[in-house]
Amino acid sequence: MAAFLQWRKFVFFDKDVVKDPSDNGNNFVIPSGISACDSGRGHIVLGDMDGKIWLLMRSLQLTSFQAYKLRVTHLYQLKQHSILVSVGQDEHGINPLVKVWNLDKRDSGNPLCTRIFPAIPGNKPTEVSCLGVHENLNFMAIGFTDGSVVLTKGDITRDRHSKTLTLHEGTSPITGLAFRQVAKVTHLFVATLEKVYCYTLSNKEYPKIELDTHGCALRCSSLSDPSQDSQFIVAGDECVYLYQPDERGPCFAFDGNKLLAHWHRGYLFLLIRDAKSPNKTGFGSRESSPSEKQILTIYDLDNKFIAYSASFDDVIDVVAEWGSFYILTRDGKMFVLQEKDTQTKLEMLFKKNLFVMAINLAKSQHLDSDGLSEIFRQYGDHLYLKGDHDGAIQQYIRTIGKLEPSYVIRKFLDAQRIHNLTAYLQALHRQSLANADHTTLLLNCYTKLKDSSKLEEFIKSSESEVHFDVEIAIKVLRQAGYHSHALFLAEKHMHHEWYLKIQLEDLKNYQEGLRYIGRLPFEQAESNMKRYGKTLMHHVPEGTTCVLKGLCTNYQPSSDSDNSCHANSEEFIPVFANNPRELKAFLEHMIEVDQRSSQGVYDTLLELRLQDWAHEQDQEVLQGEAVSLLRSDHTVFDKALVLCQMHNFKEGVLYLYEKGKLYQQIMHYHMQNEEYGKVVEACKRYGDQECCLWEQALGYFARKEEDCKAYISEVLQHIDQNNLMPPLLVVQTLAHNSTATLSVIKDYLINKLQRESQQIEEDERKIRQYREETAHLRSEIQEIKTSAKIFQKTKCNMCNSPLELPSVHFLCSHSFHQHCFESYAESEAECPTCTPENRKVMDMLRAQDQKRDLHDHFNRQLRSSNDGFSVVADYFGRGVFNKLTLVTDPPGSKTAGSLEANLQRDLLIHTKRT
């Protein structure tokens, strides 16, 4: 029970007397003798004792029509339809009539009356005490003074579509009726002087529940709106009760003799007789003494305050229309109560520091979030000034999202108020409105308070409850020394770089860091190994090498066994800068697993093996390893050669020289190392490819002051056998050697001179032979020119049959049948038998003529030949160095031309025979 004395009283309404705009601003006067009132659909309805119904429009224009012959007793204006239901009398006596009016339709200028029926329960005349109509026009209830209630079900506007029944019977007069519709369930509340009932009309049996054993006076009941759950309000003299369809609800101790109870727009209106005024006499009497004073009080049941209270003289009724409340009094006046706007009401509450009430009021008035936030801020400021920091921070928390957080944070930066600041920052994070600075501040608060439980609760919230910048949180925890908490966050939210920073840089836990990298996805594992590889290799060399082997071959993180990738092994070579042993194992693993490893892998491995060869004792095995790598197809010649030269790896250098066909370099290498036998061996091995090697070897030995006679003799022997150098050049070369005596080249010179003598003899013999042949040819030519040729052939040289005329004879002594000659000869001027040989000779002559200007060919042949003089002599003989000129007979001499052609053919034939 809420005590009336505890409720604060405000003036949230402005009272004015309604003025008549058509009467120079004088007070508006309502008709006299008003017996019933209601409002809705944009007008106020008045019924008087003369049977008229008045309609008051917003412009204060009054119209009326005669509804009854005697008087109007009750009016009910529906809010959703232009239907007005009235009860009145057309005859003297107890004979009430119910009339239903359609205000939108007209009949002779008056509203159309759609239905008339007598209001008599059980055929006995009884006065009507109250009236109620359902907004869906399917129910109408009429209460009587004899305690009965008549229910009309169906279309209340027509006789044919409705039926009437007596719903309730009793001995106590009916004082109030109200329909309640929630979803599809319809209830009818019935109030009498003694009890309160509820009927369920959506059930065919109309079950009844008795809600209370005390009732109320006439007009002292009403139905609240949905904000109060559509409860039935009963105003007794001591209390005001609210009822649900099945039970009694809250009770308010509003004392006083109640004359009227209404519910309008969330407010409860109670009209109470002034205690100084005489009591009202008789049930249902609406007459009051001229001096009666009444107090109208407006209650806000939600926020529990009195919104307005004022004294009036003899109030007829209170109605709500056009956004205001109107109070009709029997002296003909009409007062209007205009509610102050929400902001004005809030300011009145602020002045009295009634912030809780202001908040409740703002919520009930559906103030926007910005307005509510401002109230919370002012309330927080008020509590802060009073020293109630705990209460203030709760109000500031309610401003989150509207009020700038820095406004609140600045107030609570004092160390003594750190727990308040922590609460605010927590709320800020819960609403996901915290920035990086807020997260930093909150974590610093936790660390200063040393509240590990709160800190763990904050960072170990579920994924959907994370309302902070994880990276910032990790930074702050790391700086504060809460490494385990920072590690938890980093691992949970997959901030791999932060996890590794803490493990490797702060905790120096290299083994755990390496294990963590091995569980990462490929891209993260690769990038972090490049970043921390050197550090890990320094502290955990074997484990790091193992991880790198997997990363560069067939990496499968422990969290994903399906997908595999591999990194470029060459990119990780710098990681092994100070660990050559691990690097060698890593590279050997790579080329074993993947023969197509990058070139840098093979080059680095070769360098490592050469280093080992240069510094280790067991050089034979290491030499074999290095050479085997050189013999593979994966080394680059230039790089490998440089490496072998840097490490003075003889076998590798010589192998690469031979592989690159650098035979002179091989010999020079042996020369530099004064390996005389190797020099000669190189000449023997590669002299066929490069003849100059023997010449260079001779020059090398000739420059040596020590005794090299044996090697010089061997070189000279080979030069002599293959005629590689002129003797004069040999003598000149050896003349520079002080140890080389004549005995060294004695045999060479003797052999050379003997061969030269033999060659001279052979050349002289050939000269004599060529002279004899030339003389013989000239004699034959002369004979042909001066003597007749006798042809004595008896057989054809083509078919080998005896010759018969006609026949064809050639100077070459070949004869043919004419038909054989014509069948086989390609030309009339050439012998078919000699033509192939003659053609070869002519082709040779033409080829020699074409090659006369081929100087490049001559130079190449001259350089590559062992005997350059023979090459030159050959080209002289072929006429390369002179212009060939053929002298023929004049064009007009056919005989001479034919003779010359024949002589040439004879010469060719003779040359062939020779």
Side-chain angles (χ1 to χ4, degrees), residues 154-434:
D155 189 351
I156 65 169
T157 62
R158 298 183 182 182
D159 290 325
R160 291 181 299 173
H161 300 289
S162 63
K163 62 179 181 178
T164 302
L165 57 91
T166 301
L167 180 66
H168 178 80
E169 291 183 341
T171 57
S172 179
I174 305 299
T175 57
L177 296 171
F179 287 98
R180 180 182 189 268
Q181 183 72 43
V182 176
K184 296 183 179 180
V185 181
T186 305
H187 294 98
L188 173 63
F189 289 101
V190 178
T192 68
L193 285 174
E194 299 175 352
K195 295 183 180 181
V196 178
Y197 303 93
C198 180
Y199 286 87
T200 303
L201 302 183
S202 52
N203 193 322
K204 293 182 179 180
E205 286 80 21
Y206 304 141
K208 177 179 70 172
I209 297 177
E210 183 179 309
L211 298 177
D212 215 336
T213 56
H214 52 77
C216 63
L218 194 63
R219 301 202 304 166
C220 291
S221 63
S222 184
L223 188 73
S224 68
D225 56 29
S227 68
Q228 283 291 333
D229 201 18
S230 301
Q231 297 183 91
F232 188 54
I233 301 171
V234 174
D237 287 343
E238 296 179 355
C239 297
V240 172
Y241 301 94
L242 276 66
Y243 296 94
Q244 295 281 358
D246 54 353
E247 63 180 354
R248 191 176 80 178
C251 171
F252 299 93
F254 300 151
D255 198 7
N257 187 6
K258 313 299 187 304
L259 302 177
L260 182 68
H262 278 310
W263 183 273
H264 293 303
R265 297 211 313 264
Y267 290 112
L268 173 63
F269 289 72
L270 289 182
L271 186 65
I272 304 174
R273 186 190 304 276
D274 193 339
K276 299 177 181 179
S277 300
N279 290 335
K280 204 171 183 182
T281 58
F283 164 78
S285 172
R286 302 195 180 184
E287 300 295 334
S288 301
S289 62
S291 61
E292 180 173 304
K293 289 286 185 178
Q294 300 162 350
I295 299 174
L296 178 65
T297 306
I298 304 176
Y299 297 93
D300 187 330
L301 299 185
D302 277 338
N303 301 311
K304 295 184 172 48
F305 62 79
I306 297 173
Y308 183 77
S309 182
S311 177
F312 292 89
D313 292 332
D314 205 0
V315 176
I316 299 175
D317 208 342
V318 179
V319 295
E321 195 64 31
W322 311 313
S324 300
F325 303 117
Y326 293 89
I327 302 159
L328 286 63
T329 60
R330 296 206 177 275
D331 58 4
K333 294 180 181 179
M334 185 165 69
F335 297 91
V336 60
L337 294 180
Q338 292 182 330
E339 188 174 5
K340 297 179 186 292
D341 61 85
T342 302
Q343 191 59 39
T344 302
K345 291 189 283 187
L346 291 175
E347 290 175 358
M348 295 170 63
L349 295 173
F350 294 157
K351 289 179 181 178
K352 298 182 179 183
N353 294 326
L354 299 175
F355 293 99
V356 176
M357 191 170 288
I359 292 168
N360 294 333
L361 175 64
K363 289 181 178 179
S364 65
Q365 298 288 324
H366 304 292
L367 194 66
D368 61 18
S369 57
D370 291 336
L372 277 172
S373 178
E374 177 61 20
I375 299 173
F376 295 141
R377 183 195 65 78
Q378 293 188 37
Y379 191 21
D381 291 346
H382 171 70
L383 295 174
Y384 183 84
L385 292 174
K386 287 175 60 179
D388 184 4
H389 298 126
D390 293 341
I393 205 66
Q394 293 304 316
Q395 299 308 315
Y396 287 136
I397 287 173
R398 301 169 81 176
T399 67
I400 290 176
K402 300 296 180 182
L403 182 63
E404 177 60 37
S406 60
Y407 177 87
V408 179
I409 293 172
R410 282 196 298 267
K411 291 178 178 289
F412 293 91
L413 287 176
D414 192 291
Q416 295 178 351
R417 301 169 191 163
I418 193 171
H419 63 282
N420 298 125
L421 180 59
T422 304
Y424 179 78
L425 292 171
Q426 283 176 334
L428 202 62
H429 282 80
R430 280 195 295 271
Q431 298 188 34
S432 301
L433 295 173

Side-chain angles (χ1 to χ4, degrees), residues 638-816:
D638 295 340
K639 292 182 180 179
L641 182 59
V642 170
L643 289 173
C644 290
Q645 290 172 341
M646 286 173 56
H647 294 87
N648 197 22
F649 185 52
K650 178 181 178 181
E651 287 73 11
V653 172
L654 293 176
Y655 168 76
L656 291 172
Y657 282 159
E658 183 178 7
K659 182 179 179 181
K661 297 183 179 181
L662 302 176
Y663 305 127
Q664 293 189 39
Q665 297 295 332
I666 295 175
M667 194 173 69
H668 289 163
Y669 182 86
H670 292 312
M671 289 177 178
Q672 289 174 359
N673 292 284
E674 297 185 348
E675 297 173 341
Y676 302 149
K678 295 288 185 182
V679 171
V680 176
E681 184 181 341
C683 291
K684 290 179 180 179
R685 188 171 182 180
Y686 310 114
D688 293 340
Q689 285 86 350
E690 290 195 29
C691 300
C692 62
L693 294 180
W694 290 104
E695 182 179 347
Q696 293 175 9
L698 182 63
Y700 168 74
F701 289 125
R703 289 191 298 272
K704 292 295 180 182
E705 293 301 324
E706 60 264 27
D707 188 6
C708 298
K709 293 180 180 179
Y711 300 109
I712 293 174
S713 299
E714 189 174 357
V715 172
L716 285 174
Q717 183 182 359
H718 195 86
I719 290 175
D720 184 31
Q721 290 175 357
N722 295 278
N723 195 21
L724 299 179
M725 291 176 65
L728 183 59
L729 184 59
V730 172
V731 173
Q732 290 175 347
T733 302
L734 292 175
H736 299 289
N737 190 313
S738 60
T739 62
T741 60
L742 185 61
S743 61
V744 176
I745 60 172
K746 176 182 176 182
D747 294 338
Y748 167 75
L749 292 175
I750 292 172
N751 292 334
K752 191 68 177 176
L753 290 173
Q754 288 177 349
R755 281 196 299 272
E756 290 289 341
S757 298
Q758 293 173 359
Q759 184 65 40
I760 290 171
E761 293 176 358
E762 179 66 23
D763 290 343
E764 289 178 349
R765 186 187 63 79
K766 286 184 178 181
I767 290 171
R768 289 193 299 270
Q769 180 183 349
Y770 290 155
R771 284 176 180 175
E772 292 175 358
E773 291 178 355
T774 302
H776 179 69
L777 287 172
R778 284 176 178 171
S779 64
E780 285 188 0
I781 293 171
Q782 184 63 30
E783 184 181 353
I784 291 172
K785 287 181 177 180
T786 58
S787 303
K789 179 71 174 178
I790 300 173
F791 299 103
Q792 298 178 346
K793 281 281 187 177
T794 58
K795 291 186 179 182
C796 173
N797 287 94
M798 189 66 66
C799 66
N800 206 24
S801 298
L803 279 175
E804 297 177 357
L805 295 176
S807 60
V808 179
H809 302 276
F810 287 90
L811 291 176
C812 60
S813 300
H814 292 141
S815 300
F816 305 94

Side-chain angles (χ1 to χ4, degrees), residues 108-160:
S108 301
N110 295 327
L112 175 64
C113 181
T114 62
R115 183 179 182 187
I116 302 175
F117 64 93
I120 301 175
N123 294 324
K124 54 184 178 180
T126 307
E127 291 283 356
V128 174
S129 58
C130 53
L131 173 67
V133 182
H134 198 292
E135 285 293 331
N136 64 11
L137 301 179
N138 285 328
F139 293 104
M140 179 169 58
I142 303 172
F144 296 90
T145 56
D146 67 351
S148 59
V149 176
V150 173
L151 177 68
T152 300
K153 183 179 179 182
D155 189 351
I156 65 169
T157 62
R158 298 183 182 182
D159 290 325
R160 291 181 299 173

Side-chain angles (χ1 to χ4, degrees), residues 791 793 795-798 808-817 820-840 901-902 904-906 908-909 913:
F791 299 103
K793 281 281 187 177
K795 291 186 179 182
C796 173
N797 287 94
M798 189 66 66
V808 179
H809 302 276
F810 287 90
L811 291 176
C812 60
S813 300
H814 292 141
S815 300
F816 305 94
H817 293 114
C820 290
F821 176 76
E822 292 175 350
S823 301
Y824 293 99
E826 296 180 5
S827 171
E828 293 181 356
E830 291 182 337
C831 171
T833 303
C834 297
T835 294
E837 293 298 328
N838 291 342
R839 189 169 296 169
K840 290 180 180 179
N902 292 332
Q904 288 183 5
R905 283 196 296 273
D906 292 342
L908 290 172
I909 294 169
R913 288 174 180 173

Side-chain angles (χ1 to χ4, degrees), residues 32-75:
S32 60
I34 297 300
S35 57
C37 298
D38 206 353
S39 63
R41 305 295 292 178
H43 50 248
I44 296 175
V45 186
L46 307 173
D48 63 15
M49 299 300 292
D50 295 329
K52 288 184 179 180
I53 293 179
W54 299 81
L55 299 178
L56 177 62
M57 310 307 292
R58 186 166 192 172
S59 62
L60 299 183
Q61 179 183 358
L62 269 173
T63 60
S64 65
F65 62 93
Q66 192 70 40
Y68 294 92
K69 295 179 181 179
L70 294 182
R71 64 176 180 272
V72 179
T73 59
H74 298 82
L75 291 174

Side-chain angles (χ1 to χ4, degrees), residues 598-660:
S598 63
Q599 189 60 50
V601 172
Y602 285 94
D603 293 342
T604 308
L605 180 58
L606 175 61
E607 184 176 4
L608 289 172
R609 287 183 175 179
L610 290 176
Q611 288 177 354
D612 291 347
W613 172 83
H615 298 94
E616 298 293 336
Q617 298 295 327
D618 190 8
Q619 290 191 340
E620 185 175 352
V621 175
L622 296 172
Q623 176 179 315
E625 292 179 354
V627 171
S628 66
L629 192 59
L630 287 172
R631 293 184 184 279
S632 68
D633 297 330
H634 302 286
T635 53
V636 177
F637 179 83
D638 295 340
K639 292 182 180 179
L641 182 59
V642 170
L643 289 173
C644 290
Q645 290 172 341
M646 286 173 56
H647 294 87
N648 197 22
F649 185 52
K650 178 181 178 181
E651 287 73 11
V653 172
L654 293 176
Y655 168 76
L656 291 172
Y657 282 159
E658 183 178 7
K659 182 179 179 181

